[in-house]
Amino acid sequence: MGKSYQERGVFICDEEAKNIYTNKAYQEMTGCTREELLGLGWTSCIHPKDLPSVWSQALRLYSRNSEMENRHEIQCEFRLMHRDGSFIWANCQPVDMSGFSGVGTFVGILEDISWRKEAEESLRQSEERFLLAMQGSHDGLWDWDMVTNKVFYSRRYMQMLGMEAEESNGNFSVFESRIHPEHHNAVITSLGEYLSAHGLDSHPFEVETPLQMKNGTYLWFRMRGQALWDRNGTAIRMAGSITNITERRNWEEEQARLIANLADARDKAETTAKARSEFLAVMSHEIRTPLNGVIGMASILLDTASTPEQQECLETIRISGECLLSIINDILDLSKIDAGKLNLTPVPCNLRNLVEDVGSLLALRGEAEGVEMVVHYRSALSAVFVDAVRLRQVLINLVGNACKFTHKGYIAVDVSIVCSTCHQEFFLGQKQYQKEISDRVFFPKEFNKSSSHCGEEEQLSPIQMPHQMLQWFRFSVIDTGIGIPADTLGLLFEKFTQCSTTGTYGGTGLGLAVSKKLVELMGGSIGVESTEGIGSKFTFIIPLELDPSAEQGHRAPTNDLCNEEAHEEEVHSVAKADRLPKFAEQRRVLVVDHHEMTKEVVCEQIRAWGMESRACNNVSEAVTILKQSTHENEPIHIENFGQEMERARAELPALKGPQLIMLGHVGQSLPSQPVLAELGCCACFNRPTRQAYLRNALAVALAGIPTTLALPHCTLNTGKLQNLHFGPFSNPCLLFSNGKEAVKGEDSPRSLTSASQSTVHKSRVLLVEDNKVNQMVAVRLLNTLGCTVTVACNGIEALSILECPSTYDIIFMDCHMPGMDGFETARLLRQENHASHTVPIVALTAATSEGEVEKCIASGMDDYISKPVTKAILQRALDRWVGQESCCMTAGTDLLP
């Protein structure tokens, strides 16, 4: 459009409709001069699209049939073009001057109405946008005039509710009548509260309610509106919209039903899980109680004089009972882990002793088939904080699995420290001898195609420990068994799954699943590599906190373990606590054994202590090497125990009598000191080799340290040492192992071993137990330990017996008994006014429910023993709470100052 004009333009036309006069305003509107306009038709400046309408109205003006009064009322609107191409909207009022002589036949008066056209266009567009918006939103509009009580309903509103045309201008009662009766009062009350607010800045009114349709059904609508108030605060008008929200409300109701159903399902699941846990706890208690009798009585009978056939039967009963107990424990552990109720309890622990205990415990399984068990603990750091029970459980599961599937070759338990960043191993305390391992297990993304690893998808939170005391340990169990098919490795750690397809080996398939969960709870990961027909290698890594109070863990390894200088410094500072004295260094040791792995591990440990080590396979080779040697101190490790021993000793006098250390087979009884003296040996201990045994035996052989102490499964010939002169280069010493024959004059292996392990107590024991079988088992086991036992059937009897002070040294208390249980009894005994409030109380229970230990401690008990009980467990409890009265020494005791 062009610019606007205030003045009106005037033109006069003749009978031919040509201009005979134009005023200045008309000339400005068209951009033409007076001369240019004269002689032109008055329609020449009209927009071409408007000409048809203009001519139609012009014809009416000149029509003879037109009434005079109508001819003067004709007005037309058109676009008047400017010569520059712009235009204005003009209203033309024609005046017929045909009755006036000399004036012309037609006078046109033009008024610029562009402003009105723009307003009309803007209004049109606004109405169009509003209409499109309403059509797009599918909302219905309403407008309520509160003064007249009339309500206008839009077409869309009427369509949504199915209203008739006559209802479109009804009153408010039309709307009110459609509100659902159950919601009517709430809607009207809410509307009244909104209108009484009388504030323009108040929030719009909004309510959701069902409205009745034409067919009588109800649909859900959201009603929104805004009111206007007069100066007196009276609402005079209110307008708004309604939206159909039936689908949303139906969805919300369905979601509410689903949530309610899920809540019910969750409650039922929790109830079921609780019932399952309670059932497992009850069943565990009920199964453990008779198992306690079976295993306990079998153990007692095994220590009595019986025929070999009876011994075999009793051993079968005992082993079967322990297998059943192991299955029960796996099921309970898996149930606890899945329920998230298994908590780890890190305690100070000697990691080396724990690993060596597992090796010694399971070595007997493979001994019958000639499978060698080797424990290779590479690190000098062993004092850590760990849940020893759970770590031992993982190792027993893995080593037990290896024993099950290995019929020849060896089983090796390898422990080393790895770098926390790259997980590559390094060795502490072995500066002079280090060996690279080519068959590493990588974690967790470096496994090859035939490997399976766990823990990537469902990672559990690692144990939180101070970073400076945190060290990663790697545990590997390597076997030369049947191996695992590559296509089944992925199922290896699944519950109730076995990779053996032959059905020969049996089992529940729970051990590895439990082990995986436990390793992940410790903050680590577990994996496996295997080649069918060759063997398998299970490896897990876990972070452990070093014990700063222990001598060999007083200084944490540096984090930069890949740095060579830092590593050398670490070796120097940590390893010195694990070495033999200076005078033992530079000695030469000959190790003789037909087991390659045993030779390798023993030689490596000897070299780590600063001595030179060589190895050979049999006595003949050993004698040849000794004859050729010019050194005096060279212990020899001989394979056989009987005639081979005598043959070796017959050759040795000419070689100035090197000292002998004998390594026995798994499960065989060890000779007493007189027998060792007769054989000419300094010491003897059983396989698998334990560092403490080897170190103390070498200390006796090379350093000549006299001692009156004896290790379990290890005998030191202290009488022989009295005739020796001890010095830096005293007589040489021999290290050798026995054969499978028993020594003449010795007792059975079990009796000797048991005698060496048992501690004789003269304690007065009160046993509080309601089950007769459990009473018999516990009384006989305690009697074999030298204890005097009094039995009470429940807590009431126990309180009556304990009225006298200082009557008993220790109380073994069953937790679940009729009348008065063990918890209540312990609480009463711990009252200060009770005569026996200081007597140690050890809980005896077959229950495994969550919090059982905490309940025992909270009631005032001092310790906790889970049934079935064994002689060794009772002995440890007596040693801890009463004290020892015999010469017995733990496996980790150090003979050196």
Side-chain angles (χ1 to χ4, degrees):
M1 290 186 181
K3 66 180 182 177
S4 61
Y5 300 93
Q6 299 296 327
E7 296 183 5
R8 296 184 178 186
V10 179
F11 63 89
I12 302 175
C13 299
D14 57 15
E15 293 179 351
E16 296 180 358
K18 294 183 179 180
N19 295 326
I20 59 175
Y21 170 79
T22 58
N23 70 348
K24 183 176 181 181
Y26 183 81
Q27 296 167 13
E28 291 178 354
M29 289 178 180
T30 59
C32 299
T33 63
R34 183 173 59 85
E35 291 77 11
E36 291 174 337
L37 291 173
L38 292 178
L40 290 177
W42 69 276
T43 60
S44 59
C45 292
I46 296 176
H47 195 285
K49 291 184 179 181
D50 298 333
L51 280 175
S53 175
V54 172
W55 280 117
S56 175
Q57 296 185 60
L59 290 175
R60 290 174 56 198
L61 178 64
Y62 292 104
S63 175
R64 295 179 179 181
N65 297 327
S66 299
E67 298 293 335
M68 182 61 67
E69 57 274 13
N70 292 334
R71 290 166 62 184
H72 288 286
E73 292 177 359
I74 294 175
Q75 294 185 18
C76 59
E77 296 177 356
F78 54 81
R79 285 167 286 187
L80 184 65
M81 301 298 299
H82 194 277
R83 70 184 304 165
D84 63 4
S86 61
F87 64 89
I88 62 171
W89 277 96
N91 178 38
C92 180
Q93 182 179 359
V95 180
D96 186 8
M97 302 297 291
S98 58
F100 298 93
S101 177
V103 178
T105 60
F106 178 72
V107 177
I109 302 172
L110 298 176
E111 181 185 2
D112 185 0
I113 61 171
S114 296
W115 61 273
R116 181 165 61 83
K117 285 293 186 180
E118 290 178 356
E120 290 175 354
E121 178 64 19
S122 177
L123 178 60
R124 186 193 65 78
Q125 292 180 359
S126 178
E127 291 177 345
E128 186 180 66
R129 285 195 297 269
F130 179 74
L131 180 61
L132 290 174
M134 293 308 301
Q135 292 176 348
S137 65
H138 301 287
D139 286 354
L141 299 180
W142 53 271
D143 190 348
W144 180 19
D145 187 342
M146 297 182 181
V147 178
T148 62
N149 199 30
K150 296 293 183 179
V151 182
F152 165 77
Y153 302 104
S154 69
R155 181 182 300 176
R156 176 61 182 162
Y157 186 104
M158 297 173 65
Q159 291 175 351
M160 293 171 70
L161 296 180
M163 294 172 61
E164 300 294 340
E166 58 269 16
E167 298 180 284
S168 61
N169 289 307
N171 55 29
F172 181 73
S173 62
V174 175
F175 165 77
E176 188 176 359
S177 65
R178 290 179 175 269
I179 301 176
H180 194 283
E182 295 181 0
H183 297 262
H184 179 272
N185 292 338
V187 173
I188 298 303
T189 300
S190 177
L191 180 60
E193 292 175 352
Y194 170 75
L195 294 176
S196 63
H198 55 78
L200 291 177
D201 56 346
S202 62
H203 295 291
F205 172 74
E206 183 171 340
V207 69
E208 294 183 359
T209 182
L211 297 178
Q212 189 178 34
M213 307 299 292
K214 182 178 180 179
N215 58 7
T217 61
Y218 286 88
L219 297 180
W220 276 92
F221 290 88
R222 181 172 62 237
M223 178 182 176
R224 289 171 292 190
Q226 179 68 53
L228 294 177
W229 292 266
D230 60 13
R231 295 180 180 179
N232 298 324
T234 303
I236 59 175
R237 186 179 180 184
M238 187 174 182
S241 65
I242 61 169
T243 305
N244 191 332
I245 58 171
T246 303
E247 290 186 3
R248 196 207 75 193
R249 292 289 300 207
N250 291 340
W251 180 85
E252 290 176 351
E253 291 176 1
E254 182 64 22
Q255 291 300 307
R257 283 194 296 270
L258 289 175
I259 292 173
N261 292 337
L262 288 174
D264 291 341
R266 180 200 61 201
D267 294 340
K268 291 179 181 178
E270 290 177 352
T271 302
T272 303
K274 183 178 179 181
R276 182 185 64 177
S277 299
E278 292 174 354
F279 171 77
L280 289 174
V282 171
M283 289 305 299
S284 171
H285 183 276
E286 295 303 318
I287 295 174
R288 284 171 182 268
T289 298
L291 266 181
N292 184 53
V294 172
I295 297 175
M297 286 301 182
S299 300
I300 292 171
L301 289 174
L302 280 169
D303 286 335
T304 62
S306 55
T307 65
E309 183 178 354
Q310 292 171 336
Q311 286 279 333
E312 183 180 358
C313 293
L314 290 171
E315 187 68 20
T316 301
I317 294 173
R318 184 187 65 82
I319 292 175
S320 299
E322 290 178 351
C323 289
L324 179 58
L325 180 63
S326 176
I327 294 172
I328 295 171
N329 289 336
D330 284 343
I331 294 174
L332 291 173
D333 287 342
L334 198 60
S335 176
K336 289 180 181 179
I337 292 172
D338 289 341
K341 295 182 178 180
L342 184 65
N343 299 318
L344 300 180
T345 307
V347 295
C349 173
N350 187 308
L351 191 59
R352 181 190 295 274
N353 287 349
L354 187 150
V355 176
E356 290 178 340
D357 285 344
V358 171
S360 299
L361 178 67
L362 299 177
L364 192 59
R365 293 190 186 181
E367 180 69 15
E369 298 190 46
V371 178
E372 179 187 12
M373 176 72 70
V374 178
V375 176
H376 195 184
Y377 193 95
R378 299 175 182 271
S379 172
L381 299 176
S382 58
V384 298
F385 287 95
V386 67
D387 190 322
V389 174
R390 296 304 175 185
L391 178 57
R392 184 183 292 109
Q393 182 178 354
V394 174
L395 289 172
I396 288 176
N397 281 342
L398 296 180
V399 177
N401 221 43
C403 293
K404 183 177 180 181
F405 295 100
T406 304
H407 308 295
K408 61 180 180 178
Y410 64 87
I411 298 170
V413 183
D414 188 278
V415 182
S416 60
I417 293 179
V418 295
C419 177
S420 60
T421 54
C422 65
H423 288 166
Q424 292 183 358
E425 75 179 50
F426 69 101
F427 309 99
L428 296 179
Q430 300 172 17
K431 180 177 178 181
Q432 297 180 6
Y433 177 67
Q434 298 184 2
K435 176 189 173 188
E436 294 296 331
I437 298 209
S438 58
D439 54 343
R440 293 184 193 276
V441 172
F442 301 100
F443 284 86
K445 296 181 180 179
E446 300 177 10
F447 282 173
N448 57 32
K449 295 182 180 179
S450 65
S451 301
S452 171
H453 60 279
C454 306
E456 285 188 343
E457 295 182 357
E458 40 180 340
Q459 283 289 341
L460 302 176
S461 301
I463 301 172
Q464 299 298 320
M465 289 181 282
H467 183 68
Q468 63 272 17
M469 295 304 298
L470 184 66
Q471 186 59 59
W472 286 81
F473 284 79
R474 184 171 73 183
F475 301 79
S476 297
V477 178
I478 309 161
D479 65 67
T480 56
I482 63 175
I484 305 168
D487 58 347
T488 61
L489 279 175
L491 303 175
L492 196 59
F493 293 99
E494 297 295 329
K495 292 179 286 188
F496 308 107
T497 302
Q498 290 184 310
C499 292
S500 173
T501 58
T502 63
T504 304
Y505 297 96
T508 62
L510 288 176
L512 291 179
V514 172
S515 299
K516 171 182 176 291
K517 296 289 187 181
L518 290 176
V519 169
E520 290 173 347
L521 281 175
M522 295 178 190
S525 57
I526 186 171
V528 58
E529 282 187 328
S530 182
T531 302
E532 192 172 6
I534 295 179
S536 304
K537 182 175 183 178
F538 288 82
T539 303
F540 65 93
I541 56 172
I542 55 173
L544 297 179
E545 182 183 1
L546 301 179
D547 185 357
S549 63
E551 178 182 355
Q552 59 198 50
H554 71 282
R555 182 174 178 270
T558 176
N559 291 327
D560 187 14
L561 298 178
C562 295
N563 180 282
E564 185 175 352
E565 295 182 0
H567 176 241
E568 291 296 326
E569 181 183 356
E570 200 67 49
V571 170
H572 178 72
S573 64
V574 180
K576 63 182 181 181
D578 204 30
R579 289 183 179 276
L580 290 166
K582 282 286 185 180
F583 56 76
E585 295 185 3
Q586 298 180 353
R587 299 295 184 90
R588 299 180 65 192
V589 180
L590 179 61
V591 178
V592 183
D593 197 303
H594 75 287
H595 289 300
E596 294 298 327
M597 288 296 295
T598 298
K599 286 190 294 186
E600 180 182 321
V601 171
V602 172
C603 286
E604 181 176 331
Q605 183 59 72
I606 291 173
R607 288 166 181 156
W609 286 329
M611 293 179 284
E612 182 181 346
S613 177
R614 294 179 61 186
C616 60
N617 294 321
N618 51 54
V619 174
S620 300
E621 293 181 11
V623 172
T624 301
I625 293 174
L626 286 174
K627 288 180 178 180
Q628 296 174 350
S629 175
T630 57
H631 296 270
E632 295 180 349
N633 294 324
E634 189 165 336
I636 182 171
H637 175 193
I638 300 178
E639 166 58 22
N640 289 317
F641 184 79
Q643 296 178 354
E644 292 255 336
M645 180 67 208
E646 296 175 0
R647 175 190 167 192
R649 196 28 108 178
E651 298 284 345
L652 294 177
L655 303 174
K656 300 182 180 180
Q659 302 297 317
L660 297 179
I661 298 174
M662 188 164 55
L663 181 60
H665 280 275
V666 179
Q668 284 192 331
S669 61
L670 296 181
S672 61
Q673 289 191 10
V675 176
L676 279 183
E678 181 182 349
L679 293 173
C681 293
C682 294
C684 179
F685 54 87
N686 278 343
R687 299 172 184 268
T689 306
R690 301 174 70 109
Q691 186 199 53
Y693 296 169
L694 179 60
R695 187 168 185 267
N696 288 317
L698 289 173
V700 171
L702 298 177
I705 298 177
T707 178
T708 59
L709 297 176
L711 295 169
H713 303 289
C714 180
T715 305
L716 302 179
N717 183 11
T718 56
K720 182 177 184 295
L721 298 175
Q722 298 175 0
N723 300 322
L724 296 177
H725 171 72
F726 303 110
F729 298 98
S730 61
N731 290 340
C733 169
L734 296 177
L735 172 65
F736 63 96
S737 70
N738 64 312
K740 295 185 179 180
E741 307 88 13
V743 181
K744 294 180 180 180
E746 293 295 322
D747 295 331
S748 67
R750 169 169 282 281
S751 62
L752 277 176
T753 304
S754 302
S756 65
Q757 289 180 308
S758 300
T759 302
V760 178
H761 288 268
K762 297 180 181 179
S763 305
R764 294 162 298 175
V765 178
L766 175 62
L767 174 66
V768 188
E769 170 66 65
D770 63 309
N771 185 277
K772 296 299 181 182
V773 175
N774 290 342
Q775 289 176 4
M776 293 175 58
V777 171
V779 168
R780 296 196 179 190
L781 290 175
L782 289 169
N783 286 339
T784 60
L785 293 172
C787 299
T788 302
V789 185
T790 302
V791 178
C793 293
N794 53 51
I796 298 174
E797 289 187 19
L799 291 175
S800 176
I801 294 173
L802 292 169
E803 288 179 354
C804 299
S806 304
T807 304
Y808 295 96
D809 300 310
I810 189 170
I811 302 170
F812 288 100
M813 180 86 68
D814 185 22
C815 294
H816 302 277
M817 297 176 292
M820 180 182 293
D821 62 20
F823 304 117
E824 181 63 24
T825 306
R827 278 191 288 269
L828 295 175
L829 285 175
R830 286 296 178 245
Q831 296 179 0
E832 293 186 2
N833 59 351
H834 198 281
S836 302
H837 72 277
T838 60
V839 179
I841 303 176
V842 178
L844 291 176
T845 180
T848 58
S849 58
E850 184 70 18
E852 187 78 7
V853 177
E854 289 76 8
K855 288 173 63 178
C856 293
I857 302 302
S859 65
M861 300 185 189
D862 300 288
D863 207 345
Y864 176 95
I865 292 177
S866 180
K867 295 177 183 177
V869 296
T870 62
K871 184 177 179 180
I873 292 175
L874 291 174
Q875 179 177 319
R876 284 196 293 268
L878 290 169
D879 292 344
R880 181 178 183 184
W881 297 108
V882 179
Q884 301 183 18
E885 296 182 19
S886 67
C887 298
C888 184
M889 181 174 161
T890 63
T893 305
D894 195 349
L895 296 180
L896 294 177

